[in-house]
Amino acid sequence: MITTKYVNYKQVLNLSGFHLIIISIWCTLIAFIYHIYRWEWMTIPWVAVALIGTAEAFLVGFKNNQAYERLWEARKIWGGIVNTSRSFAAMVYAFDTKNEEIGQFDLEDRRKKIVRRHIAWLYAFREQSLVPVEWEHIKFEEDKLKSTDQKRNRLIKAGFPDYGRTSIFLNKYLSEKEFELQSHYKNFATYLISQQAKDVNELKNMKAISEFNQMQLQDCLTEFYTLQGQAERIKKFPLPRQFASTAFVFNIIFIMLLPLGLVSEFSKLGDWGIWASIPFCITIGWMYIIMELVGDYSENPFEGLMFDIPMLSICRTIEIDLLQMTGETDLPEPINSKNGVLV
C-alpha cells in the first residue's frame, strides 16, 4: 500500500519508465519521418484517432473500476479479520464458568494456546495468499524477466526483514508438533482453524465454558473460514482476461496511431509544429499507459507489491492486540512504511 500523499516520481518511473521511453522513441520517429519525407499517406484523420481514444478511455475506465472493487473487497476482508480476531480473543478470555475442578493454570495455558495459534493462522494465511499464480505480474516476472523483477520491485520489498519470515512466526506461536505438520497439509491455515474448533469443544467438555459460549466462539471460527474463502476467491479467480487483455491491446493500437493523427494536425502550424507534436503525443500516450497500469496492478491485491493490501502490517497489529490480551509485555514493534510503501 502506497502511504505517501502523492505518488513518488521514483515509483512512477519504476512502474512506467520503460513504457515512457518506448512512447518517446515512437512519437519522435514518426515526427522525424514526416518532417523529412512529407509522406501525407502515413497520416490519418484526427477524428478517427479521437474516436478510438474515446472508446479506449471507456474500456480502461471499466477495467479500473472493476480492479478497484477487487482491491477494496480484499481490504474489507482483512478488516473483518481484524475485528473478528479481537472479538475471538476477548471471548476466549472472558468466558469462564468458574468451575473449581479446573486448575486456573491449566485454563490459562489452554487460552494462550488458542490465541497464539490464531496468530500463527494469520501469518500462515498471509503466506498462502502471497503464493504467485500464473496471471499475476510477480509470477510473470519471476519466470520470464528475472532481472526486471529485481529492478522493478526493489522499492517495493526492500527494507522489510519480516516479509519472508513466516516460518519463524509459526515456530514461535505453534507447538513443535503442529509446526512440523506444515508439510502434511496443502492448506495449513484451514487445518489450524479446525484445531481451534477442537480445543474450543474441549473447553466446553471440561466445563470451562458453557455450551452457549462454545457456540459463540464457533461462530467466530466459522467467520474466519468465510473470510479466508472470500480472500481465496479473489486470489484464485482473476479479473476476466477477456476484459483485461482487450484493454491492453486496444491501448497499444491507440498509442501506435496517436502520432499519425497528431503530426498532421500540428503540421498545419508549420515545420515547428511537427516537432511540437512530440511532447503532446508523449504526454497523451503516457497518460493512457498510466491508466492501464493502475488498473492492471490493482486487480490482484494479494501479490505482495506496493499496490496491494498491507497484510503484514495488519497481521502485526492483530498480533500486538492479542498478545496484550494474554498479558504479554514483550511486544513486537508495529510495521511502519518504508520508501512510502506499507506491506
Side-chain angles (χ1 to χ4, degrees), residues 283-341:
T283 302
I284 296 172
W286 192 49
M287 287 173 59
Y288 272 81
I289 283 292
I290 288 293
M291 289 192 296
E292 166 68 23
L293 291 175
V294 166
D296 209 37
Y297 276 86
S298 299
E299 68 186 42
N300 302 311
F302 299 128
E303 285 192 76
L305 302 180
M306 64 182 178
F307 313 95
D308 299 347
I309 304 304
M311 293 187 291
L312 180 61
S313 174
I314 295 173
C315 287
R316 180 59 57 82
T317 298
I318 301 173
E319 178 185 7
I320 293 172
D321 290 344
L322 268 56
L323 287 177
Q324 285 183 315
M325 291 183 186
T326 65
E328 293 282 348
T329 56
D330 185 16
L331 304 174
E333 292 295 324
I335 300 295
N336 298 316
S337 63
K338 296 182 180 179
N339 299 320
V341 176

Side-chain angles (χ1 to χ4, degrees), residues 16-126:
S16 63
F18 175 76
H19 306 83
L20 180 61
I21 293 173
I22 296 299
I23 294 172
S24 301
I25 293 174
W26 175 244
C27 294
T28 303
L29 178 63
I30 294 298
F32 178 78
I33 293 175
Y34 186 82
H35 177 75
I36 297 298
Y37 299 103
R38 299 288 177 169
W39 288 340
E40 294 293 337
W41 59 265
M42 67 181 290
T43 63
I44 56 178
W46 174 248
V47 174
V49 179
L51 288 174
I52 296 174
T54 302
E56 172 61 12
F58 279 111
L59 190 56
V60 171
F62 171 78
K63 176 181 176 179
N64 284 7
N65 184 62
Q66 299 305 309
Y68 177 79
E69 287 291 333
R70 288 168 61 88
L71 179 66
W72 184 239
E73 183 182 0
R75 182 60 187 90
K76 289 193 291 185
I77 289 170
W78 273 92
I81 290 175
V82 172
N83 297 335
T84 310
S85 296
R86 291 167 175 165
S87 299
F88 178 71
M91 286 190 288
V92 167
Y93 271 82
F95 294 159
D96 190 352
T97 59
K98 302 297 183 182
N99 190 337
E100 296 180 356
E101 297 179 2
I102 304 172
Q104 189 61 36
F105 290 105
D106 179 51
L107 180 59
E108 182 65 22
D109 288 342
R110 290 174 182 271
R111 285 170 169 170
K112 280 190 175 182
K113 181 181 179 181
I114 291 174
V115 171
R116 293 171 72 87
R117 186 190 287 125
H118 180 71
I119 297 173
W121 172 79
L122 293 169
Y123 285 106
F125 175 44
R126 170 186 161 272

Side-chain angles (χ1 to χ4, degrees), residues 174-193:
L174 293 176
S175 65
E176 183 177 347
K177 180 180 179 181
E178 286 181 327
F179 179 75
E180 292 175 351
L181 288 175
Q182 292 179 77
S183 59
H184 294 76
Y185 294 89
K186 293 186 178 298
N187 194 328
F188 188 59
T190 299
Y191 163 77
L192 291 178
I193 296 181

Side-chain angles (χ1 to χ4, degrees), residues 246-293:
T246 301
F248 174 72
V249 172
F250 285 0
N251 218 354
I252 294 177
I253 294 174
F254 170 70
I255 292 173
M256 293 290 289
L257 297 177
L258 181 61
L260 301 177
L262 275 181
V263 71
S264 61
E265 290 295 317
F266 275 80
S267 65
K268 298 175 183 178
L269 302 175
D271 287 346
W272 69 271
I274 297 175
W275 302 111
S277 70
I278 296 176
F280 286 93
C281 181
I282 294 173
T283 302
I284 296 172
W286 192 49
M287 287 173 59
Y288 272 81
I289 283 292
I290 288 293
M291 289 192 296
E292 166 68 23
L293 291 175

